[in-house]
Amino acid sequence: MTDIELIQSGLKLFFVQKCEIIHIINNSRSNEKRYISFAMAGGQLRIVIKMYSSSYVDSLRIHSWQRLADIYWKEGVVTPQFLPSLSGKFAEAVMIEDDTFYIWVEEYIASKYQLGRGIKLEEQSLFVFKRIGQMKGKMHRLAFENQIKCDWVSPWRLYEPFTAEEECDENYTNALWLYNSFKDTEEAGQVIEEIWSIYNSNRRKLKEFYDHLPTGQVQGDFSPANFIVNPRNSIIGIYDYNLSGSDAFISDCIQEGIFLAYECYETEWFDDEHVQAMDKRFEEYIKGYTTEYPLCDMEFKAIPLLYSISRPIRFDKIALTIKKYNEKKFDEVNERLLWMRTELNKPNIT
C-alpha cells in the first residue's frame, strides 16, 4: 500500500467526499509508524490527518488531547480543533498490513513557520519570552482550573518512565549515561563523581515532595516548531498534542523554559555574556508564566532543584560531551564537566 492509499483509507472514516492530499510527512522510526498529511477540502487547505502506529498513541489518549485542546481554544489559545469522524468519534483505529493505526483529523491553521521549521528564538526580544511564558502559564492554569487529568505521563515527567519499554525517566537515563561513560576515565577525574553525587542528592530532595506538586495534563511538546505564529511574528498558539500527558505543572514549566531560553539555538555558549543574556530570557519567561499561573510555596521550593537536575543533564549536552571525549578533545570535555558541576550547584535563578 502506498502512503497516499494509506492516508485515504483513514480519511474514509471521517469524510464522505474524497479529499485531495497535497503533502505527506513520513516521520516513521524503527519502532513506530507516523504519517502527517495535509489535505484540501472544498478547494481550500483545511485539514491535517495524522495516522500513528505507536506504543504511546491510542483512542483514549487522542480523545484526551481533543478535550485539552478544546479547553485551550475556548479560552483564547489559538490551537487546531479536532474533527469528529463519521461515527462521531475523535479517533478511529484501522488495521493495515498487520499494524493498528490510530487516526485523527485536525483543522489546518496557517502559521508563518509551517512544517517544523519554527521561529528562531535567538532573534527574539525579552518581551517575546515573557509572552511565551504567559501562554504556558495560561495553559497550565486552564488545566488546573478544569481539573484536566490523564492516567499516563508526558515524556519529561520525572521518576516515571514514559513507555513500558523504558526502565526509568529520561532525566535519570541521561545522568546515568553520563556517569557510566566517564566514571572509569582518568580524564574526568573526581569531577564526574561530584556531578553524580550532587545530581542524586538534588534528585532525592525533589522526590520528597514531587508527587505532591499540582499536577495535570500538559501539551507535552511546547517548542518553536509547534508554535502558531501570525504574519506579524507574534506567537499566538500551539499545535501538536502527540506527547501530551500528566506532569507536575512546575516541572513542565521549568524543563520547557530551559529548552526555550538556553538550548534551542544553533550555537552553544558558555561565556558569561551569553549566559547572562539567556538567564534574562529564562527570568522573563518565568515572570510571564507566573502572571497567569500563581505558584504555591511548594512550587517555588521545587524551582532550583528542577533547574539543577534539568539544565546540565540534557540529552544533547551529554551526547556532545561524549562525542568530544571520543574525539580526544579532553580540554573541552573538562570544561563541559566543570560547567555541569557549576549548574548543579547554581542558586535559585528566579
Side-chain angles (χ1 to χ4, degrees):
M1 178 180 289
T2 65
D3 288 353
I4 290 181
E5 289 173 336
L6 184 145
I7 303 303
Q8 287 288 6
S9 67
L11 278 172
K12 290 177 182 178
L13 300 172
F14 285 81
F15 300 98
V16 174
Q17 77 276 20
K18 188 173 182 179
C19 300
E20 180 186 356
I21 299 171
I22 61 173
H23 185 65
I24 298 175
I25 302 172
N26 184 343
N27 282 337
S28 299
R29 301 177 182 178
S30 58
N31 60 341
E32 59 182 344
K33 296 179 180 179
R34 305 189 301 180
Y35 296 89
I36 302 171
S37 308
F38 298 82
M40 303 276 283
Q44 295 183 354
L45 181 57
R46 293 184 182 273
I47 55 175
V48 181
I49 312 100
K50 297 185 178 181
M51 296 185 67
Y52 279 41
S53 180
S54 169
S55 63
Y56 60 88
V57 175
D58 56 36
S59 294
L60 185 63
R61 297 192 188 208
I62 295 168
H63 278 86
S64 82
W65 304 341
Q66 182 277 326
R67 178 185 59 180
L68 187 63
D70 190 55
I71 291 291
Y72 292 165
W73 178 77
K74 288 178 179 176
E75 296 295 334
V77 178
V78 178
T79 197
Q81 290 285 280
F82 286 57
L83 307 180
S85 69
L86 295 175
S87 66
K89 297 182 290 187
F90 291 104
E92 293 283 357
V94 63
M95 180 72 73
I96 300 175
E97 298 177 355
D98 297 326
D99 291 311
T100 300
F101 280 87
Y102 290 94
I103 309 150
W104 69 103
V105 176
E106 303 170 11
E107 69 170 327
Y108 172 82
I109 296 180
S111 176
K112 184 176 178 181
Y113 301 93
Q114 203 71 55
L115 305 180
R117 288 188 289 273
I119 188 171
K120 289 187 176 182
L121 289 181
E122 63 266 40
E123 299 174 355
Q124 305 305 310
S125 67
L126 292 176
F127 174 76
V128 170
F129 285 85
K130 186 173 183 178
R131 292 281 299 192
I132 292 172
Q134 287 175 325
M135 184 164 69
K136 170 63 84 172
K138 184 174 185 177
M139 291 161 65
H140 284 177
R141 176 176 58 78
L142 292 172
F144 179 77
E145 292 175 349
N146 291 277
Q147 290 295 290
I148 304 297
K149 298 179 180 293
C150 58
D151 295 329
W152 52 89
V153 300
S154 82
W156 327 121
R157 183 168 174 84
L158 302 175
Y159 310 106
E160 293 184 56
F162 175 51
T163 66
E165 294 82 12
E166 298 168 332
E167 295 184 2
C168 50
D169 64 89
E170 184 185 74
N171 179 264
Y172 187 77
T173 299
N174 291 343
L176 193 62
W177 181 31
L178 177 74
Y179 179 65
N180 287 337
S181 297
F182 288 103
K183 65 179 181 178
D184 296 322
T185 64
E186 294 182 6
E187 293 81 8
Q190 183 60 27
V191 69
I192 190 62
E193 296 296 337
E194 293 175 8
I195 288 171
W196 184 238
S197 176
I198 300 167
Y199 169 81
N200 280 290
S201 175
N202 289 352
R203 190 175 159 101
R204 283 192 298 270
K205 291 176 184 176
L206 180 63
K207 176 59 177 172
E208 291 176 3
F209 59 94
Y210 186 84
D211 290 338
H212 300 289
L213 292 168
T215 299
Q217 189 169 358
V218 300
Q219 182 262 350
D221 197 1
F222 195 71
S223 67
N226 293 330
F227 290 154
I228 297 174
V229 183
N230 68 17
R232 297 183 299 279
N233 230 38
S234 296
I235 299 169
I236 57 173
I238 191 78
Y239 42 51
D240 198 349
Y241 292 81
N242 306 348
L243 300 180
S244 177
S246 176
D247 203 349
F249 293 125
I250 192 61
S251 182
D252 181 62
C253 166
I254 296 301
Q255 292 191 70
E256 294 282 21
I258 287 170
F259 172 66
L260 296 170
Y262 297 97
E263 300 300 335
C264 58
Y265 307 129
E266 295 178 358
T267 304
E268 182 180 60
W269 294 290
F270 291 123
D271 63 279
D272 290 344
E273 182 179 356
H274 277 102
V275 169
Q276 288 172 10
M278 290 185 285
D279 284 349
K280 288 188 178 298
R281 290 174 177 176
F282 186 73
E283 290 169 8
E284 289 301 308
Y285 165 85
I286 295 296
K287 286 179 183 177
Y289 179 81
T290 54
T291 63
E292 285 283 349
Y293 179 88
L295 301 180
C296 67
D297 290 343
M298 195 179 298
E299 288 170 314
F300 271 114
K301 181 181 176 183
I303 289 175
L305 293 169
L306 285 164
Y307 178 94
S308 72
I309 68 171
S310 300
R311 170 86 167 103
I313 310 298
R314 287 183 53 85
F315 177 89
D316 50 347
K317 284 283 185 288
I318 294 168
L320 187 53
T321 304
I322 294 171
K323 179 176 182 290
K324 297 290 184 182
Y325 181 82
N326 292 335
E327 294 171 350
K328 301 187 184 304
K329 296 178 179 178
F330 301 130
D331 288 343
E332 291 186 48
V333 170
N334 187 56
E335 178 188 10
R336 298 177 70 84
L337 292 176
L338 290 173
W339 172 82
M340 290 178 185
R341 185 181 65 183
T342 298
E343 290 299 302
L344 281 163
N345 284 311
K346 195 166 186 174
N348 191 350
I349 190 171
T350 58

